[in-house]
Amino acid sequence: MEGEVLRDDQWARIEPFVPGGRKGKRGPRSNGRLFVDALLWMARSGGRWRDLPERFGPYQTAKRRYYRWIERGVLDRLFEAVAAEPDLEWVMLDATVIRAHAQAAGAPQKKGGQDAQALGRSRGGFGTKIHVCVDALGLPVRMMLGPGQQNDMAPACDLIDGVAAEYVLADKAYDASRLNQKIIEQGGDPVVPPRRNRKRLHAYDAALYKERNRVERFFSRIKHFRRIATRYDKLASTFMGFVTLAAIMLWLK
């Protein structure tokens, strides 16, 4: 069951930030630890809500509570709590495309349709792109979603906004003057190989650039969660909830 349920030490770190669980006249109002374990089962297995094992309680209750957590930003607050002290000696930027299952299509028009739900078509087909900034240990600092065809550079400046890293590592897709300027303005040094079409090829620290593989390892680790490796959720917010949960587990590991 390792990785499918929380260990005691992991639960102790997030318990103060988990809503509910206060005792009423009939005992605890909810079991927060059991609910988080249910979310981990969903994320690891990639199963449907109705397939949730009975030991986690009624799946309808878990599903409703998950949607409430998304609306209230509970998982975002949990992530901020566990990721409060990243190693900012250097950070790395990258993105990966997640293939979307056919059932991910068809978001309600009142929600903006699939165009507003980070879904689009790229060479790899129908999917979503996860953009991420990870610290020197390969742990996530900031994450964003975009449609599958989105350029890697599009959210890059937002990913590092306010992140005071000494160095920022990224591949050639991130070689843009506006990003380099923002890194320098924040007191860091860009470690980004120049594109071939640049008139002036700038120098970069090739030895330090080798550390960029840590962000690739990050993507490999979160794709162990099957509900992330393939997107089934119609709404970007509910899919991002599972991405955030996986990020939390990496910090708790």
Side-chain angles (χ1 to χ4, degrees):
M1 300 294 289
E2 176 69 23
E4 294 184 6
V5 296
L6 290 171
R7 301 190 308 266
D8 291 343
D9 62 305
Q10 292 173 327
W11 172 243
R13 286 186 62 185
I14 66 172
E15 183 180 11
F17 309 99
V18 174
R22 297 184 299 274
K23 290 186 177 180
K25 294 181 180 179
R26 299 181 181 179
R29 295 179 181 177
S30 59
N31 188 330
R33 182 171 182 172
L34 185 66
F35 173 63
V36 176
D37 287 342
L39 294 185
L40 283 175
W41 186 91
M42 290 289 297
R44 287 287 188 187
S45 69
R48 303 174 301 174
W49 284 104
R50 63 178 65 252
D51 296 329
L52 192 68
E54 293 182 1
R55 67 179 183 272
F56 296 117
Y59 80 87
Q60 299 95 331
T61 302
K63 184 177 182 179
R64 285 195 299 269
R65 190 175 182 186
Y66 176 67
Y67 289 152
R68 288 199 302 271
W69 274 31
I70 295 300
E71 291 174 359
R72 298 174 183 175
V74 174
L75 289 169
D76 293 333
R77 292 196 294 274
L78 285 176
F79 175 73
E80 291 172 1
V82 300
E85 297 182 358
D87 184 343
L88 298 181
E89 182 177 358
W90 63 76
V91 298
M92 292 148 281
L93 303 180
D94 208 349
T96 189
V97 175
I98 303 296
R99 290 293 298 273
H101 192 275
Q103 71 184 48
Q109 287 303 316
K110 64 180 180 180
K111 297 287 186 178
Q114 70 181 34
D115 291 341
Q117 300 305 327
L119 285 167
R121 295 194 177 276
S122 63
R123 290 183 180 180
F126 187 52
T128 292
K129 185 171 282 190
I130 300 176
H131 303 269
V132 68
C133 170
V134 303
D135 71 1
L137 300 177
L139 294 172
V141 175
R142 192 169 290 164
M143 300 171 294
M144 295 180 179
L145 294 184
Q149 77 279 9
Q150 187 178 51
N151 187 285
D152 290 357
M153 257 300 301
C157 291
D158 292 332
L159 279 174
I160 65 164
D161 187 36
V163 178
E166 294 182 37
Y167 301 93
V168 178
L169 286 57
D171 61 24
K172 291 182 180 181
Y174 294 89
D175 179 27
S177 298
R178 67 180 184 277
L179 178 61
N180 292 340
Q181 184 63 33
K182 186 169 187 64
I183 294 170
I184 294 170
E185 289 175 354
Q186 296 186 159
D189 290 324
V191 182
V192 183
R195 295 175 183 264
R196 292 182 179 179
N197 60 357
R198 272 193 175 270
K199 293 182 179 180
R200 293 185 61 185
L201 301 181
H202 57 262
Y204 69 100
D205 190 333
L208 181 56
Y209 180 74
K210 293 179 180 179
E211 298 294 335
R212 199 190 67 83
N213 69 85
R214 294 173 187 264
V215 69
E216 304 291 352
R217 284 185 254 169
F218 162 78
F219 286 129
S220 176
R221 292 164 71 189
I222 65 166
K223 288 180 181 180
H224 290 173
F225 293 81
R226 294 182 179 179
R227 202 174 181 97
I228 297 173
T230 301
R231 174 174 169 174
Y232 299 98
D233 299 277
K234 287 181 170 61
L235 301 183
S237 58
T238 53
F239 176 67
M240 189 62 185
F242 285 110
V243 175
T244 304
L245 178 65
I248 291 169
M249 292 306 297
L250 294 184
W251 273 97
L252 292 178
K253 189 173 182 179

